[in-house]
Amino acid sequence: MSTDAIVLLKNDHKEIRKAFRDFQKAGVSAHATKGKLVDRMIELLTVHTYIENEVMYPRVRELLPDLEDDVLESYEEHHVADLLVMELAPMTYKDERFEAKATVLIENVEHHIQEEEQDWFPKVREGLTRTQLREIGAELAAAKEKAPRRPEQPSALKKTVDAVLA
Ligand SMILES: [Fe+2]
Ligand SMILES: [Fe+2]
């Protein structure tokens, strides 16, 4: 199994996009399905932003200082996604804003994933060695094990608080 950091993160992105597509394809009255898909999106995003915030971004920032601006922009984009996820988590389809908030979350995250994959990952791959990418990949895999899965878990809240107060 490859533990290359970029491969691992792209696999996460693929799962996230799949949940987005399924949500968008679900019929207007597929309430139960949409509720489950939103729960799935929330879990995937909570884990993914956690491992990028805790491992990928700080490592890259340290090893490739030229990419600092990209990293800072990414933290801000994660912060916006965190806020939307926190607001969406307690909602059900009965909430007037459920569908709209899920849609805005999807749009925001799609944009962020696209920037990472098309712009940022290529720069990171160019700047780091295969060994460095594998080492970061192993750290990402380890962080995934202990990552929060719901936004109200303490480690996820701490992340949000850090982002607001930093
Ligand atoms: Fe990200
Ligand atoms: Fe990502």
Side-chain angles (χ1 to χ4, degrees):
M1 200 184 89
S2 173
T3 50
D4 177 290
I6 292 173
V7 173
L8 185 148
L9 294 174
K10 277 190 175 173
N11 281 337
D12 273 11
H13 289 174
K14 210 183 281 175
E15 276 189 282
I16 293 165
R17 280 201 173 110
K18 168 90 170 73
F20 288 173
R21 289 293 89 75
D22 290 348
F23 182 89
Q24 287 166 330
K25 276 190 294 184
V28 190
S29 54
H31 299 313
T33 307
K34 281 186 176 170
K36 275 191 207 130
L37 286 166
V38 163
D39 283 346
R40 171 117 183 100
M41 282 178 212
I42 289 173
E43 178 176 340
L44 290 170
L45 290 173
T46 304
V47 173
H48 185 75
T49 57
Y50 176 86
I51 66 170
E52 285 189 340
N53 286 354
E54 295 289 315
V55 177
M56 187 67 177
Y57 295 169
R59 291 295 166 274
V60 171
R61 198 175 176 183
E62 182 186 310
L63 295 165
L64 302 171
D66 284 357
L67 299 188
E68 166 116 353
D69 288 352
D70 292 331
V71 170
L72 291 175
E73 191 182 319
S74 282
Y75 275 125
E76 291 305 320
E77 289 180 350
H78 279 197
H79 174 53
V80 172
D82 284 345
L83 293 176
L84 292 167
V85 160
M86 274 202 307
E87 290 171 356
L88 191 57
M91 288 187 176
T92 71
Y93 73 90
K94 289 185 187 134
D95 270 280
E96 188 183 49
R97 297 161 76 179
F98 174 78
E99 185 96 25
K101 208 172 279 291
T103 301
V104 171
L105 174 67
I106 291 172
E107 285 169 1
N108 269 273
V109 175
E110 289 273 15
H111 163 83
H112 174 69
I113 286 179
Q114 202 178 328
E115 272 188 358
E116 283 189 336
E117 294 199 351
Q118 291 177 8
D119 183 45
W120 199 64
F121 287 166
K123 291 186 207 164
V124 173
R125 179 156 314 279
E126 204 185 301
L128 298 183
T129 65
R130 287 173 69 89
T131 307
Q132 284 173 318
L133 284 169
R134 278 203 212 104
E135 280 165 7
I136 300 171
E139 274 188 75
L140 287 166
K144 233 175 160 171
E145 301 286 313
K146 58 161 190 159
R149 292 190 144 62
R150 295 283 305 172
E152 63 275 17
Q153 278 175 255
S155 46
L157 283 175
K158 182 187 168 294
K159 182 187 81 176
T160 311
V161 169
D162 287 350
V164 175
L165 298 179

